[in-house]
């Protein structure tokens, strides 16, 4: 196992959802020096690089229920950029990653909340709800159309203005 030691600092910023039921990683900050031998061909030698995730509020990484630890046994990658040099990017690779922002009622990690399987696209499939919703809409439309046709041909027309 090779440990990459050019980092001088790496920080994960954790936040909770507004309801407080989940936590997530909102920002990843990585600071390293380009003087290290791993960066010997870097175009700006002698510079301290500060990479981070996007600064907009839409960045939510690894949402996990409070009291559980996010655990992933597959490789994860996080794309980072340096705000001072927008054309310079970094990829943080995480392997056998386990994290929890605070200990919940104990000194150890909480129950594991496993990452999703990459073969499923990283989340729940929306195919079944789409098909069921489409069938329900088609059934409702067919019922209304059928009843309208039935009333048009079978129900006797009544002249309400002649009734007394």
């Amino acid at each position: 196992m090779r440990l990459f030691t050019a980092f001088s600092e790496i920080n994960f910023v954790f936040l909770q959802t507004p309801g407080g039921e989940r936590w997530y990683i909102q920002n990843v900050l990585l600071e390293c020096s380009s003087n290290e031998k791993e960066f010997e061909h870097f175009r700006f030698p002698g510079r301290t690089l500060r990479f981070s995730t996007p600064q907009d509020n839409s960045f939510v990484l690894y949402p996990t229920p409070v009291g559980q630890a996010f655990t992933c046994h597959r490789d994860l990658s996080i794309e980072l950029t340096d705000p001072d040099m927008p054309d310079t990017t970094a990829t943080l690779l995480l392997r056998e990653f386990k994290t929890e922002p605070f200990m919940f009622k104990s000194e150890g990690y909480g129950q594991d909340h496993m990452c999703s399987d990459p073969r499923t696209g990283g989340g729940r499939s929306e195919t079944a709800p789409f098909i069921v919703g489409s069938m329900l809409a088609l059934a409702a439309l067919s019922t209304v159309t059928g009843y309208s046709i039935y009333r048009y041909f079978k129900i006797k027309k009544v002249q309400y203005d002649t009734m007394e």
Side-chain angles (χ1 to χ4, degrees), residues 102-123:
F102 44 83
M103 300 306 174
F104 186 75
K105 297 183 181 179
S106 71
E107 293 185 19
Y109 284 109
Q111 176 185 357
D112 287 346
H113 177 79
M114 300 300 288
C115 61
S116 59
D117 187 359
R119 292 172 288 174
T120 63

Side-chain angles (χ1 to χ4, degrees), residues 59-152:
F59 189 76
V60 173
L61 193 61
Y62 315 131
T64 306
V66 171
Q68 295 185 10
F70 178 82
T71 304
C72 197
H73 297 295
R74 64 180 174 88
D75 292 350
L76 302 171
S77 65
I78 302 172
E79 297 297 321
L80 305 171
T81 59
D82 188 342
D84 298 332
M85 298 187 305
D87 59 333
T88 304
T89 61
T91 302
L92 179 64
L93 299 174
L94 305 171
R95 180 173 288 149
E96 298 292 327
F97 186 62
K98 183 172 188 171
T99 184
E100 187 172 1
F102 44 83
M103 300 306 174
F104 186 75
K105 297 183 181 179
S106 71
E107 293 185 19
Y109 284 109
Q111 176 185 357
D112 287 346
H113 177 79
M114 300 300 288
C115 61
S116 59
D117 187 359
R119 292 172 288 174
T120 63
R124 190 178 82 182
S125 173
E126 297 296 328
T127 305
F130 178 75
I131 291 172
V132 170
S134 298
M135 291 175 64
L136 180 62
L138 185 63
L141 185 63
S142 299
T143 302
V144 170
T145 303
Y147 183 69
S148 299
I149 292 170
Y150 169 78
R151 278 196 59 95
Y152 183 77

